[in-house]
Amino acid sequence: MKKLFCLLLMIASSFVALAQTSIAGVAFGSDYTSAKSILENKYGQQKWDSDKNCIHFENKEYGGIYFNDLFFDFQYSGSRGYFNKCVFVIWCNNANEAKERRDYIASVVGKYYDLYEKILDNGFKMYQGGDDPTNVDNYGFFIDVLVPSGKGSPYGARLFYGPYNYVTENF
């Protein structure tokens, strides 16, 4: 009986999802003031003081990867903010460099998460993985190429967590 129980426990534990519950020491769902304190202890002062929708750092390392921009975004319900989105970007000179950086990020992240590849409408590959902590039916993050939005805009390799919906609005 013990062997059967252990076997069932092992099978069940193999189905446990890897929900992304925090990044850079900040739990998703945290309030703005707590998140800002943790992040400024980790990364120092922000280069410019953003509004309460976003905490932004430039040229910082996370998980052994150097990123040019790190954005920590918040969703609000009344005066309460919830940390619900995180975007790390490496700016690149061209599409090939962005693809190389995207694949490098995926190789590092892929050591910890199963990644699934998808080709987007723009022809670029995207990696998805983890689970949304608010909805296990959704992936928790993706890694893709940020395509320029206009003339003079750079390409980028992007690691994008969320947005996770902490505010439920119903009628």
Side-chain angles (χ1 to χ4, degrees), residues 3-47:
K3 287 181 183 180
L4 179 61
F5 176 74
C6 289
L7 177 64
L8 292 174
L9 184 62
M10 285 179 15
I11 291 170
S13 66
S14 69
F15 292 109
V16 172
L18 291 173
Q20 186 67 41
T21 58
S22 68
I23 188 99
V26 181
F28 284 102
S30 294
D31 67 273
Y32 176 87
T33 303
S34 299
K36 184 176 179 183
S37 175
I38 293 167
L39 291 168
E40 287 186 341
N41 282 332
K42 181 176 181 71
Y43 293 121
Q45 289 293 114
Q46 298 179 72
K47 184 168 181 159

